[in-house]
Amino acid sequence: MTLPLEGLAAIVTGAGRGLGRAEALELGRLGAAVVVNDYGQPGRDGSGEASAGPAEEVAAEIRAAGGRATAHTGDVADFQQAAELVELAIAEFGRLDILVNNAGILRDRMVFSMTEGEWDAVIRVHLKGHFNTTHFAARHWRERSKATGAPVYGRIVNTSSEAYLAGSAGQPNYAAAKGGIVGLTTSTALALAKYGVTANAICPRARTRMTEDVFAGFQEPEDGLDPLAPEHVAPLVGYLASPAAERINGQLLVVHGGMVAIVERPHVQAKFDSKQDVFSYDELDAVLTPHYAERPPGETFAAAEVLGLKREPGTG
């Protein structure tokens, strides 16, 4: 039986642990040759010495299961190292078809306490890291398409977060980066559609090194698969990377615990027209103040207004 991703080659960033590891293993199980990227720093804040160990171990695990895999230990937030990652996939497997961006770090703090360095570090790894790999993969696919005069096969799966959708008080840098990733994804989807490439983003909820404190109160079950296990997320990534998902482009999907939700693009909740050439303060007060009268001062929109789903405070 032919596997869904047989003959295709993939890159998964941040694949040495957690979600990235589960995604790399799933793509390998579905038949893809995989470049397992991970910088290998032990701290979830990007601290500690870089190590080839995590990426090498996952690549070895894929090979032990009968698949093809190689490790890359570069920093995807470095423009040149991201270029080398894409070049490695093409050199090792003769092609690149799938890019899964997952690499990230956390440096949590309230906005009034956050340092410039804490902001810059998270934006760099999450948002710039997604851009760097997307840039070089997109350029490769565009050149291939122009050379043949026909569309190519290309799939991008980016990692956003519910922190962007519903806010996360102690993660302004992370939430902003994840929102930027959605904008990058939709822009990329529009730009690359004519070349045969799709780009989608997921908001996963899973128990990983990145979320170990968030889910500290949610104990793993003694029997059966943990509802917060990364293995619940990986199948959606495999599907979005497959030929079956060719009509899915520029979409945002929430996934966790055996549930997938498709998020609509923002839509207008209410609309008010001025009776004059320009709104006056008094006129705005007359229409907007009553509209928000039932909401306590300072309250933001609830997650349910965005997703129609319950979300625990602080979930990734």
Side-chain angles (χ1 to χ4, degrees):
M1 182 180 72
T2 302
L3 296 172
L5 304 183
E6 191 169 320
L8 302 179
I11 290 171
V12 183
T13 73
R17 305 177 178 91
L19 278 171
R21 173 183 175 275
E23 292 162 355
L25 292 174
E26 177 70 3
L27 295 186
R29 188 187 71 80
L30 294 176
V34 184
V35 178
V36 179
N37 162 266
D38 200 286
Y39 200 36
Q41 291 174 304
R44 67 176 189 168
D45 62 350
S47 62
E49 291 296 321
S51 168
E56 294 283 6
E57 288 169 11
V58 176
E61 196 171 346
I62 293 172
R63 292 192 296 267
R68 300 171 63 198
T70 191
H72 178 270
T73 57
D75 177 7
V76 293
D78 180 282
F79 198 63
Q80 184 55 42
Q81 292 182 56
E84 292 167 0
L85 171 59
V86 171
E87 290 165 2
L88 174 62
I90 298 166
E92 187 76 15
F93 303 125
R95 59 189 299 146
L96 173 64
D97 308 283
I98 300 159
L99 170 63
V100 179
N101 283 308
N102 185 69
I105 64 171
L106 291 178
R107 295 196 181 176
D108 295 352
R109 204 176 297 277
M110 302 295 280
V111 69
F112 42 76
S113 302
M114 182 165 288
T115 67
E116 180 182 16
E118 289 165 340
W119 174 272
D120 288 347
V122 170
I123 296 295
R124 176 183 180 272
V125 178
H126 285 276
L127 186 52
K128 187 183 178 185
H130 272 62
F131 162 74
N132 286 348
T133 55
T134 297
H135 167 77
F136 289 108
R139 192 167 72 176
H140 166 69
W141 287 323
R142 180 174 179 267
E143 290 172 355
R144 276 178 48 198
S145 178
K146 283 183 171 292
T148 61
V152 299
Y153 187 100
R155 300 283 187 270
I156 299 172
V157 182
N158 289 331
T159 306
S160 183
S161 170
E162 290 175 274
Y164 149 69
L165 284 172
S168 183
Q171 298 180 306
N173 47 4
Y174 180 75
K178 291 307 191 182
I181 286 167
V182 174
L184 172 64
T185 303
T186 54
S187 296
T188 301
L190 290 172
L192 300 187
K194 65 181 179 180
Y195 302 117
V197 179
T198 67
N200 296 287
I202 63 170
C203 293
R205 193 187 302 181
R207 192 192 309 275
T208 68
R209 182 179 57 141
M210 295 273 283
T211 61
E212 57 190 7
D213 56 342
V214 172
F215 296 123
F218 297 84
Q219 299 303 316
E220 296 185 43
E222 294 183 6
D223 299 311
L225 184 63
D226 181 0
L228 293 171
E231 287 75 15
H232 285 295
V233 175
L236 176 62
V237 173
Y239 169 76
L240 291 174
S242 76
E246 64 177 345
R247 295 182 181 276
I248 304 175
N249 194 28
Q251 300 297 298
L252 178 63
L253 302 99
V254 177
V255 54
H256 62 85
M259 184 282 300
V260 173
I262 301 169
V263 180
E264 286 187 338
R265 296 197 178 195
H267 60 276
V268 175
Q269 182 188 71
K271 180 176 177 290
F272 306 97
D273 295 310
S274 175
K275 295 180 172 59
Q276 310 167 77
D277 291 338
V278 179
F279 268 112
S280 67
Y281 172 89
D282 289 338
E283 190 179 12
L284 288 170
D285 181 36
V287 295
L288 292 181
T289 301
H291 181 72
Y292 290 102
E294 300 301 319
R295 181 166 292 170
E299 183 184 61
T300 63
F301 58 82
E305 293 179 34
V306 180
L307 296 174
L309 302 169
K310 290 185 178 179
R311 172 181 174 272
E312 297 298 329
T315 54

